[in-house]
Amino acid sequence: MIGADQEIRSFVDHVWKWITPLGLTNRTLTAIGPLWLLPLTNGKYRKMQPESAPLTVTYTAVKNTKDIMLKIAGLGPESAPLMLDSDAFSAQSLSLLCQTASKKSNLAIRNADVFTHFLEWLVEGRHLLEHANPADKACVLDAIVDWFWGCKNHDKLAKQSLRQLCVFKRVRRSEVD
């Protein structure tokens, strides 16, 4: 990842204005794959097609989810799981990128509006979540509960991910009885 100044931000913005009408075809992706065109919320940029899986970046269109993720990431920006800076894109560019990312896993861009992707991001940032204040942990728990009850299928991955998060309170048997 590389840092960015205003000149780089302006250049990347112009590139996306040029790319969007063309679309992200296989040919275009091959050409721009090694370029640092994905702005991240930590002020850095990632290549369009990363060379390693740990550079997966996550985005969300849901304000509540984004607010939660930004709070958690703000606890340790240098070690937080990567988040796409969706505010750096025009609506058309972001839509194009997200549609393409849903079809091409080699872009390593996941949608936190999908419950399991949100959980994966939380698990990657669990070291930060452990240091969150009780109110932020409660917000995360509320989001998980809302999503969990709204989903019909709870796959094994989701259940394993939930076990790794520190947002649940221990209940002793004596408290239940």
Side-chain angles (χ1 to χ4, degrees):
M1 291 179 298
I2 60 167
D5 60 17
Q6 190 56 38
E7 195 174 314
I8 292 172
R9 286 188 183 111
S10 178
F11 172 77
V12 170
D13 183 52
H14 288 310
V15 171
W16 278 105
K17 285 178 183 172
W18 169 73
I19 290 171
T20 301
L22 298 174
L24 288 172
T25 63
N26 287 336
R27 186 176 183 181
T28 305
L29 286 171
T30 300
I32 66 171
L35 302 179
W36 301 84
L37 296 176
L38 290 181
L40 306 175
T41 56
N42 64 5
K44 298 187 178 185
Y45 282 75
R46 195 202 78 178
K47 290 181 179 182
M48 270 300 286
Q49 293 181 317
E51 295 157 5
S52 61
L55 293 177
T56 298
V57 65
T58 305
Y59 72 92
T60 179
V62 178
K63 183 179 179 350
N64 185 44
T65 305
K66 184 176 183 178
D67 290 346
I68 289 169
M69 292 171 69
L70 287 171
K71 277 184 186 179
I72 301 304
L75 295 172
E78 290 303 315
S79 64
L82 300 178
M83 286 179 60
L84 185 69
D85 184 1
S86 55
D87 296 335
F89 291 90
S90 69
Q92 297 84 1
S93 296
L94 184 61
S95 176
L96 173 67
L97 178 62
C98 295
Q99 288 173 5
T100 305
S102 70
K103 298 172 190 162
K104 300 200 177 286
S105 62
N106 62 329
L107 293 179
I109 301 171
R110 65 182 169 210
N111 181 353
D113 302 339
V114 174
F115 183 55
T116 53
H117 293 181
F118 178 61
L119 285 178
E120 288 169 359
W121 188 90
L122 286 173
V123 168
E124 288 173 15
R126 70 183 174 272
H127 63 286
L128 298 172
L129 190 55
E130 290 171 3
H131 301 290
N133 66 48
D136 290 342
K137 286 181 180 180
C139 287
V140 171
L141 183 58
D142 288 345
I144 290 171
V145 168
D146 289 346
W147 243 326
F148 193 78
W149 293 119
C151 293
K152 293 183 179 157
N153 297 325
H154 306 295
D155 64 5
K156 195 173 185 174
L157 173 67
K159 290 176 184 175
Q160 290 171 343
S161 296
L162 286 169
R163 287 189 184 106
Q164 298 179 55
L165 300 178
C166 62
V167 294
F168 300 101
K169 294 180 182 178
R170 286 200 183 271
V171 178
R172 288 187 211 101
R173 183 110 177 116
S174 61
E175 293 175 7
V176 177
D177 295 333

